[in-house]
Amino acid sequence: MEQFWKDNELGLKDNCFNPDAPQVPFGLNMGTELVFAELGVEGDPWGYTDPMVMRDYVRRYNDKAEKILGRRIMNEDYPLNHQRFPKVRLHGEVFGGEYKLVDGVVWLESDIKTPQDLEKMLDHVDAMDLRSFILPSNWDDEVKRIYEQTGIRPDPRLNGGRRVRGPVTLAMSIYGVENTIYLMCDEPDLAHRFFDTIGSVLIGYADILDAEAGERNNESHYGYRFFDDNCCMLSADLYEEFAYPVLKRVFEHCCPDPKVDPRYQHSDSAMGHLLPLLGTLDFNGVNFGPTVLLDQIRPHMPHTRVDGCLNPMTLWRNDTEAVIEEVRRDCEMAKALGRGLRIDAAGSTNQGTKLTTIRAVMHAIQKYGRY
């Protein structure tokens, strides 16, 4: 394990294209939702858990991870209540949606069902004072208090400032999958207005939270990350006409220089038909669905780091033989196609994925991923 982590550090350099890397790097995204099943404790992985309880859970999880993986994987400095900034309204709420916890998963839903409803909502959004709507009334006082006590400022990447549902997922969550497609075909002018307004809100949101964080002129180069599972629902023609311009506009505003401003897209769905279009956007990193493998991605994105391509359900089932075979497949592709792969789930690493399964991923990298 000690050698694995030394080699992994080299593998992650140069955005995983380091010519001197000894092996394909590991980068499995492990969120705090993993602690509950691993420790056998009660809790809602995506709901609220008292910060002091979470600190204890994360510490205990890391104790286990250190024995099994050789590293303390998760950040143990879980924010306390007095260090938490007030809740900021999210993009979906700007468009009249509501975030609901259903069967342990947060979904964005809305009552907007007709073109007339949609047009009325867009009139409201276009006239909105966005800052006053998204920031709570006690925001300024709390930001001042937390900064004076801790020196911490709001992070522009949090609360959706630079991490957001992609335009297709946002539109379809608000207006429905079929409704959005029908709108594009039957009332394209209104559909264009919908997506243009989405782009304006995303940029306005980023600018507001940048300013609240004290960020000036993109000095920290945080980049921008889209999470757009529903992009697979559109044909390439519809995506190019309606959604692609939103990405291009947001990237040009928020991360104008892709050499230093990361551009990222996560879409854990079968969206391989969109690769030729997405390949023109100079992504720094991507994370696509388990049917969209490195050999499909690389011709369109020769210089992009690919995070994947393990099926999250294979990991969740803790079928170590199947996990090892998938890692072997991906490592062989990385060796044949010029590096640039970071072994990760093609989607989310779900609660129930065991540390022993993650160790199997590391084992397979060390056995089959040597360059």
Side-chain angles (χ1 to χ4, degrees):
M1 288 190 293
E2 183 179 349
Q3 188 62 46
F4 175 90
W5 290 113
K6 287 180 180 178
D7 292 344
N8 202 65
E9 188 173 344
L10 293 172
L12 293 171
K13 289 185 176 180
D14 300 328
N15 206 30
C16 300
F17 284 97
N18 178 13
D20 299 321
Q23 69 186 28
V24 178
F26 165 94
L28 206 62
N29 181 23
M30 299 168 64
T32 52
E33 63 269 17
L34 297 182
V35 305
F36 297 93
E38 185 69 45
L39 298 178
V41 295
E42 294 294 324
D44 188 339
W46 290 280
Y48 174 80
T49 304
D50 184 273
M52 293 305 293
V53 174
M54 280 305 301
R55 283 192 169 209
D56 176 60
Y57 286 171
V58 170
R59 179 188 56 76
R60 289 164 55 191
Y61 185 90
N62 276 342
D63 289 344
K64 230 178 150 176
E66 193 167 27
K67 294 176 182 177
I68 296 171
L69 308 182
R71 281 284 174 92
R72 302 184 77 79
I73 296 294
M74 292 185 187
N75 177 21
E76 296 179 21
D77 190 21
Y78 205 83
L80 300 173
N81 282 331
H82 74 276
Q83 298 171 328
R84 291 175 179 265
F85 292 95
K87 189 177 185 300
V88 173
R89 282 177 168 158
L90 300 177
H91 302 81
E93 295 172 280
V94 174
F95 290 94
E98 183 180 356
Y99 292 88
K100 298 180 179 179
L101 186 65
V102 181
D103 295 330
V105 179
V106 176
W107 296 96
L108 172 60
E109 299 177 355
S110 143
D111 293 328
I112 299 169
K113 306 297 182 188
T114 68
Q116 293 74 25
D117 292 338
L118 180 62
E119 196 162 15
K120 183 178 179 181
M121 178 271 289
L122 292 174
D123 289 342
H124 175 72
V125 173
D126 289 344
M128 179 185 293
D129 179 338
L130 189 60
R131 185 184 187 277
S132 296
F133 181 81
I134 67 174
L135 299 181
S137 59
N138 64 336
W139 175 263
D140 292 333
D141 291 339
E142 283 296 279
V143 168
K144 180 180 178 181
R145 178 188 64 78
I146 293 172
Y147 180 70
E148 289 177 349
Q149 291 180 359
T150 67
I152 299 172
R153 287 189 180 276
D155 187 332
R157 295 167 294 184
L158 301 179
N159 296 315
R162 288 176 175 266
R163 299 168 58 90
V164 66
R165 290 172 188 255
V168 183
T169 304
L170 179 57
M172 290 181 171
S173 297
I174 293 296
Y175 195 56
V177 175
E178 295 88 346
N179 276 356
T180 301
I181 296 171
Y182 292 148
L183 188 77
M184 292 172 172
C185 297
D186 298 338
E187 300 196 43
D189 289 345
L190 183 55
H192 277 296
R193 183 186 174 193
F194 190 15
F195 279 85
D196 287 346
T197 301
I198 287 173
S200 296
V201 168
L202 299 187
I203 289 171
Y205 216 107
D207 286 349
I208 290 166
L209 290 187
D210 279 2
E212 296 304 313
E215 179 77 6
R216 297 290 182 269
N217 301 318
N218 202 35
E219 61 189 346
S220 298
H221 303 289
Y222 283 121
Y224 204 95
R225 298 169 73 94
F226 282 104
F227 298 81
D228 205 7
D229 300 343
N230 284 38
C231 69
C232 68
M233 300 292 185
L234 295 185
S235 67
D237 288 345
L238 288 178
Y239 187 87
E240 183 175 18
E241 182 175 355
F242 295 97
Y244 178 89
V246 177
L247 271 71
K248 190 171 187 296
R249 180 182 167 197
V250 170
F251 282 157
E252 287 176 352
H253 181 87
C254 294
C255 34
D257 185 352
K259 293 181 180 178
V260 293
D261 301 324
R263 301 177 173 190
Y264 196 91
Q265 174 136 330
H266 157 89
S267 309
D268 54 359
S269 54
M271 35 61 65
H273 61 292
L274 303 179
L275 289 174
L277 277 170
L278 294 173
T280 66
L281 289 170
D282 295 318
F283 282 104
N284 168 272
V286 294
N287 175 246
F288 296 145
T291 63
V292 186
L293 301 180
L294 183 64
D295 59 348
Q296 297 170 264
I297 301 169
R298 188 56 74 217
H300 305 286
M301 301 181 181
H303 308 297
T304 301
R305 184 189 77 248
V306 175
D307 296 339
C309 301
L310 300 181
N311 190 320
M313 301 308 290
T314 306
L315 289 167
W316 175 74
R317 294 186 186 103
N318 297 297
D319 182 344
T320 54
E321 289 187 11
V323 167
I324 289 168
E325 281 307 305
E326 288 191 20
V327 175
R328 182 177 186 174
R329 173 202 67 197
D330 296 339
C331 286
E332 288 174 352
M333 286 187 188
K335 289 189 284 187
L337 296 171
R339 310 189 182 220
L341 174 71
R342 182 169 69 178
I343 297 294
D344 194 359
S348 304
T349 308
N350 297 312
Q351 186 200 199
T353 301
K354 295 180 179 178
L355 283 167
T356 48
T357 300
I358 295 166
R359 181 185 170 103
V361 173
M362 295 166 54
H363 158 77
I365 291 172
Q366 200 169 52
K367 185 170 183 179
Y368 300 113
R370 304 294 292 181
Y371 285 125

